[in-house]
Amino acid sequence: PNQLCGVYTFACENQLCHLMSRSVSSEPVRFSSLPTVYLKVVHMSSLEGHKKQWGCAALLAVLATSVFAYDLDSRSLASDDACLSDEAEECSLGLRQLRGQMSVASAEEQLVPDKHPTWKTVVLRDAATEKGAVCLDGTPPAYYIERGYGSGARKWMFHLQGGGWCVDLADCAERATTNLGSSRDYHTINAKNKMLDYYDGGANGLLSRSCVVNPEFCNWNKVFIRYCDGASYSGEVEHPVVYKGEKLFFRGRRILDAVLDDLLHVQGMVHGTDLIAKGCSAGGLGVWVNLDHIAGRMPSTLSVKGIPECGFFLEVPTYSGRNTWPKSFQNIVAMQNITGALSKECVKTHAGDSWRCIFPQHFVSHVKTPHFVINSVYDAFQMQFFLGLPQSCVKNNICSPEQRSAMEKLRLEMISNVKMQTASGSGFFLYNCVTHCGQTNKNARFGNLEDRMMSVSHHRITKLRNAIEQWYKDGISVRSLGAAGSGPNSEITCH
């Protein structure tokens, strides 16, 4: 009441209430979207004592009744551009608090400093409404974009966020309540800060704007695509699935296509010359599964290449012999109807068990678009969850003979299968650091991890950053194995 009475005044225009000024107006306030509703706001400072209290109460009652009685358009609520105040963010937040859509704590969260002001948030509400491109809970997809400049103004790079998968309906229903299944907080500055600070390594390394850290790609247009479908941007189920009274939407491929359409025709990527599609973990798998599809949707004038990082998930049993994750992926493919997104050649080969084509080892030889594979042969996620190794083995290298044998089998299968890539202009950089993600999006790892054997043979330093630059800029088919020697973390630059 103290804020509303004597400090702010409200008005409504174009279906959006705004805080107009810090002094109470004596002019009539018209709710233009509410037929025949007018407010006469008097100078509260002219009232005293209980009269002022009753005046405030009456004002609040009329405001609350009028606003809550009308179903305001959510698209207008999220549009701070229409705000008539000089403090647009505060203006929109004030209304959402009034409507009970946001707690005071949530509002304050949005007023935190923007750590990444060059990155803008885009929420695809129209794509959700018109194309059905929605997250698990039915909310619209979103991405962050940073504009390129100079020689990079027509060059593009996007990153598919990772974050695992949901393996059954119960798991997806739980995921739909989090930011890996819902975009309800994606528009907030706090959410953007957290994502670009550190998730998958954040907006660093290959996504860095610093030309010291990232000399080859610093001035490119960069996009960070939020992950909210639970199946590596590949599911396609026409109708929502109802689980315990809640609707679940499996539309990952539509989300990807909606983002591509927006980048092409709204952001101007259709006029671009270069595109690198990268991603890590579930996002890396998303690059593997979708790379040829992405390339096929681009104009012929746009050169497309992929960098899947830590997305080369192998169909392997646990060290004790259980097929835990193969069965989980079989269920994911069926539940989210992913078969249509999988390699047609692979599906034909595995006609009776096409779900296997979600694992890159079964379709890497069919990927036609040039790509550069970045993966640990002792991937921490795969060792812990796919192989079922205990933390003492994964983190401290204290392993039983059976556990160590499973680790070495993972390393050798990773190397042999990645070598099966056939797309012209492709390469790889494999290493033995016990990590998962962050090699390309963390400045230190991006700049320090080195293949010392290749550095000697090429008579030049071949660190991960150099290898990517040589592959992309110089067209060298870098096939780096020097940092993938036997023994987890044995490569000194892992540290």
Side-chain angles (χ1 to χ4, degrees), residues 57 131 211 276 312 329:
K131 303 176 182 178
C211 293
I276 292 178
F312 204 94
F329 271 97

Side-chain angles (χ1 to χ4, degrees), residues 80 141 143 182 207 209 283 292 317 324 373 386 466 486 495:
D80 288 329
Y143 63 84
S182 173
L207 294 181
R209 198 173 181 84
D292 284 345
T324 304
V373 187
F386 281 35
N466 306 125
S486 180
H495 310 284

Side-chain angles (χ1 to χ4, degrees), residues 352-374:
D353 49 8
S354 58
W355 60 270
R356 285 199 159 92
C357 297
I358 192 71
F359 291 102
Q361 70 199 86
H362 298 307
F363 68 86
V364 58
S365 61
H366 300 303
V367 178
K368 302 176 181 65
T369 307
H371 52 276
F372 191 77
V373 187
I374 299 171

Side-chain angles (χ1 to χ4, degrees), residues 288 312 314 360-367 371-375 377 410-424 426-430 451 453-454 477-482 484:
W288 275 116
F312 204 94
L314 291 166
Q361 70 199 86
H362 298 307
F363 68 86
V364 58
S365 61
H366 300 303
V367 178
H371 52 276
F372 191 77
V373 187
I374 299 171
N375 228 101
V377 294
L410 180 75
R411 182 181 78 90
L412 294 174
E413 286 201 21
M414 181 80 69
I415 292 172
S416 64
N417 280 288
V418 168
K419 282 183 173 181
M420 290 173 63
Q421 60 182 190
T422 59
S424 176
S426 295
F428 56 78
F429 191 103
L430 303 181
D451 179 344
M453 291 179 62
M454 184 170 285
S477 183
V478 178
R479 297 168 69 85
S480 168
L481 285 171

